Amino acid sequence: MSTLQITPISGALGAEVTGIDLAAPINEALQAELDAAFYAHLVLSFPGQQLNARQLLELTQSQGGVGETPYLTGLPDYPDVVPIIKEATEKSAITFGAGWHTDFTFQSMPPSRTLLYAVDVPVVGGDTLYSNLYTAYDALSTGMQEVLENMTAVHSATRSYGPQARMKDQLESMTIVNAEEEPGTITHPVIRTHPVTGRKALWINPVYTLHFSNMTLAESAPLLKYLNDLAVSPSFTCRVRWHPGTLTMWDNRCTQHCATADYHGQRREMLRTTVAGDVPR
Ligand code: SIN
C-alpha cells in the first residue's frame, strides 16, 4: 500500500509529496509510485527533507544518472552539485534563473529532470514558478500545431554564458565561467514528444531559443514571442514556495521555470543537480 500523500498545488501542474524520506534508498515499488506522480504532475515538491550534497547526488543518480553541468561551478567535493546562492549583502537584485526557461536546452541531450534543494530561504519571496508545456501545446490551434510539427529551432547558451554575457558579474556569490569563444548552436524540434508519456510539448524558451531553423532572428521573433508568452500563460503555471529542506524535482522535457527576484536584501541558498537526458524528438 502506498505511503505517499500527493497534493496538487495548482490545476495546471505541480504536487506536494509527503510520506517519503529521500535520504533513504528508494525501492522499485516506491520508484514506480514516484514516477507515476512525476509524469502526472511534472513538478514534485517534497517538504521537510534532510539532504547533504552527497545524498542529493545519490538521489539524482537514482533518478536516471547525473547530467553534465557546464559554465556553473559546483561544490569542491561534488562538482555536479551546484550551489545557487544570493547573499543578503549583494548589490544587484538579480537572481540566478530569473527568466522563464527550460534547463540547458543548448545541449544536444538536455537534462531530463532537475533537482533543487532549499538550504536557506528568505522569510518571504524567492518562490519558483513553473509552467506546463503540454497544456501550451494543447492550447494551440490544430493549424498551428501542424505548422510547428515541421519546424525546428536553434538553441544556444550565448545570452547567459557567451563571451559577452554579463550575468556572471551580477551574481556575486556564484562562480560562473563564461565560454571564451562564441558557444555553438544546437537544433531541436519545436514540438517535443515526451519519451515516456508520449505527450507533445511546446519546446521553446526565451533564454536559449534564438530563432527558427532557416529563418533570421527578425523573422522568428514575432512567432517566438507569441509562443513564449503562451507557454507561460498564468493558467498553465504553478508556484513552489520553499522552506529549508524542500526538495523539488521537475520534468525538464515538458516544463519551463522561473526563479522570482523578489527578496533583495535577504539570503537564499539552494543546491541544484540535473539528471541526464536524451535527444529531443
Ligand atoms: C534554476 O533556474 O535552475 C534555479 C531556480 C531557482 O533558484 O529557483
Side-chain angles (χ1 to χ4, degrees):
M1 203 183 85
S2 171
T3 53
L4 296 183
Q5 288 90 50
I6 299 166
T7 311
I9 56 177
S10 88
L13 80 166
E16 189 172 277
V17 183
T18 54
I20 183 171
D21 174 6
L22 293 173
I26 298 174
N27 67 28
E28 220 173 287
L30 186 54
Q31 185 62 51
E33 266 188 74
L34 273 181
D35 282 345
F38 185 68
Y39 295 125
H41 297 285
L42 323 185
V43 175
L44 297 182
S45 202
F46 303 84
Q49 301 296 319
Q50 283 200 323
L51 296 169
N52 58 31
R54 179 183 54 77
Q55 290 164 320
L56 177 61
L57 200 58
E58 282 169 8
L59 176 64
T60 308
Q61 193 71 48
S62 77
Q63 299 306 295
V66 178
E68 192 202 331
T69 299
Y71 308 120
L72 305 174
T73 306
L75 296 173
D77 291 344
Y78 299 99
D80 294 315
V81 179
V82 176
I84 297 180
I85 301 177
K86 179 168 159 51
E87 295 293 351
T89 50
E90 288 190 23
K91 287 190 276 305
S92 168
I94 195 177
T95 64
F96 178 79
W100 283 103
H101 65 286
T102 298
D103 285 330
F104 295 173
T105 64
F106 53 80
Q107 293 181 318
S108 56
M109 293 196 284
S112 55
R113 305 174 180 213
T114 302
L115 283 74
L116 192 62
Y117 178 70
V119 178
D120 189 14
V121 296
V123 175
V124 66
D127 299 350
T128 305
L129 312 177
Y130 294 88
S131 77
N132 182 335
L133 302 180
Y134 293 142
T135 48
Y137 171 80
D138 293 343
L140 294 166
S141 65
T142 51
M144 182 57 91
Q145 288 175 348
E146 278 165 28
V147 169
L148 297 177
E149 293 276 3
N150 297 314
M151 291 172 69
T152 56
V154 174
H155 297 237
S156 160
T158 187
R159 292 174 184 146
S160 303
Y161 306 113
Q164 314 301 328
R166 293 283 61 94
M167 182 171 81
K168 71 177 181 59
D169 303 332
Q170 292 167 298
L171 299 172
E172 291 172 49
S173 307
M174 293 182 63
T175 308
I176 296 178
V177 182
N178 281 3
E180 281 177 18
E181 291 176 13
E182 190 53 34
T185 58
I186 190 87
T187 299
H188 291 308
V190 172
I191 304 301
R192 179 174 189 180
T193 302
H194 194 290
V196 177
T197 66
R199 290 189 66 186
K200 291 179 180 179
L202 176 60
W203 214 65
I204 43 89
N205 68 87
V207 172
Y208 301 125
T209 311
L210 300 184
H211 59 88
F212 297 115
S213 304
N214 306 318
M215 292 190 196
T216 65
L217 287 170
E219 287 166 345
S220 305
L223 181 55
L224 266 182
K225 177 171 173 13
Y226 173 77
L227 297 173
N228 280 325
D229 288 349
L230 177 79
V232 299
S233 302
S235 304
F236 305 160
T237 67
C238 73
R239 181 176 195 114
V240 167
R241 182 153 193 200
W242 301 93
H243 302 279
T246 303
L247 180 288
T248 300
M249 175 169 70
W250 61 88
D251 193 329
N252 207 42
R253 297 161 292 191
C254 52
T255 62
Q256 284 190 31
H257 59 279
C258 175
T260 54
D262 59 350
Y263 60 96
H264 193 46
Q266 297 185 75
R267 183 171 199 277
R268 183 177 186 264
E269 177 180 352
M270 317 291 278
L271 294 176
R272 176 187 184 276
T273 57
T274 57
V275 175
D278 56 4
V279 175
R281 308 270 181 220

